[in-house]
Amino acid sequence: MPTPFYHLSLVRDLVAAEDFPPLLRDEWPAFCLGNIAPDAQNVSGQTRAATHFFDVPMRDLTPAWHVMFRQFPRLADPGPLPPAQAAFLTGYICHLALDQLWIADIFDPIFGLGAGWSTFSQRLFLHNVLRIYLDRIDLPALQNGTSAALKQARPQGWLPFLTDDALRRWRDFVADQLADGAASQTVEVFAARMSLAPTDFESLLQSPTAMQTQILSRLPLSTLADFRARGIARTREVIAEYLSCQKA
């Protein structure tokens, strides 16, 4: 649910911690790619459930990576895996954890089917506007080496359910938007997805009054900041959980 740029911005916050695992520092490109990899469904043509291991609405609250590991047990123990693959999978489960937290805390109560204000289609539109708004906050910090790091990731049969080709194409699609002089395509992607014009999004994004009235009155910046802090805490938990699963 958060955009690839939001996922990557949290990664940059994680790496600043003194206890950030050496494996993930050493295999930084693979870890970065893992953090955006579930959304490769956008180029592979798969369903969300095929790469995220949960559906929306999220009726089953089982952690998505537990479902993934039940289906593909060899991924559950990072010990025997090549270091790059283990770092990639650590990033992958960070993405799944953050998505599930976003749905439970942000999407479902404020924009979801039962939110009870306006229409669901209008709420979906405003949810996308919010995600674009957050991208524009996060992008400047990402345009300083993240593109090059992603391009250094070289998937080699890391997943049994996503091809290397799909991962490379998704990697390049995201990385190219973070290169020097490049521009985000989030507006164009959401506009095409919703059969709207980019100007429909921009007219709201360029109006602080409209943003406050239609979105931020329901989801204040303080709430978004609190979610970000909890998102970082949650991803740190799942990193520790996964890397401690190495069998003796």
Side-chain angles (χ1 to χ4, degrees):
M1 290 303 244
T3 68
F5 303 129
Y6 191 96
H7 283 282
L8 290 169
S9 74
L10 257 68
V11 165
R12 294 185 70 91
D13 290 344
L14 286 169
V15 76
E18 291 184 2
D19 61 349
F20 191 67
L23 168 68
L24 306 184
R25 290 189 191 276
D26 293 343
E27 301 293 345
W28 178 245
F31 180 62
C32 285
L33 179 58
N35 271 275
I36 65 169
D39 290 338
Q41 63 166 89
N42 290 294
V43 298
S44 70
Q46 292 165 273
T47 64
R48 168 175 288 274
T51 62
H52 286 70
F53 300 93
F54 66 89
D55 289 309
V56 180
M58 196 169 59
R59 297 184 178 89
D60 185 350
L61 300 182
T62 303
W65 57 101
H66 291 185
V67 179
M68 179 174 75
F69 292 153
R70 284 203 299 267
Q71 294 183 24
F72 305 99
R74 73 176 183 84
L75 304 180
D77 179 9
L81 303 176
Q85 184 181 13
F88 169 84
L89 285 165
T90 306
Y92 203 100
I93 66 174
C94 286
H95 180 115
L96 299 180
L98 189 65
D99 271 13
Q100 287 188 298
L101 187 65
W102 179 275
I103 292 168
D105 290 5
I106 303 291
F107 181 76
D108 275 353
I110 299 170
F111 302 99
L113 285 169
W117 58 276
S118 188
T119 64
F120 183 52
S121 61
Q122 178 67 4
R123 294 196 299 273
L124 288 179
F125 167 70
L126 294 174
H127 179 246
N128 285 338
V129 171
L130 171 66
R131 293 195 286 172
I132 298 165
Y133 173 79
L134 294 175
D135 269 11
R136 292 183 177 181
I137 295 172
D138 294 329
L139 277 170
L142 294 175
Q143 293 171 325
N144 185 20
T146 306
S147 176
L150 281 171
K151 289 290 186 92
Q152 291 170 25
R154 300 285 187 270
Q156 296 180 316
W158 289 345
L159 291 173
F161 53 86
L162 262 172
T163 67
D164 290 348
D165 177 66
L167 289 172
R168 286 191 295 265
R169 285 187 289 134
W170 183 242
R171 173 200 66 192
D172 293 346
F173 177 73
V174 175
D176 287 348
Q177 295 175 65
L178 297 174
D180 289 345
S184 165
Q185 296 182 37
T186 310
V187 172
E188 288 76 11
V189 168
F190 287 157
R193 191 176 295 172
M194 300 194 77
S195 300
L196 297 171
T199 52
D200 294 331
F201 295 86
E202 290 292 352
S203 62
L204 183 51
L205 287 159
Q206 298 303 322
S207 171
T209 300
M211 286 293 296
Q212 178 62 38
T213 301
Q214 298 192 50
I215 299 176
L216 299 178
S217 61
R218 300 180 184 276
L219 189 58
L221 292 176
S222 59
T223 301
L224 290 167
D226 178 66
F227 173 83
R228 187 179 184 90
R230 286 184 288 109
I232 291 170
R234 182 62 177 140
T235 53
R236 291 185 66 176
E237 288 173 2
V238 301
I239 287 170
E241 174 190 314
Y242 183 54
L243 295 184
S244 70
C245 284
Q246 298 184 34
K247 297 175 182 176

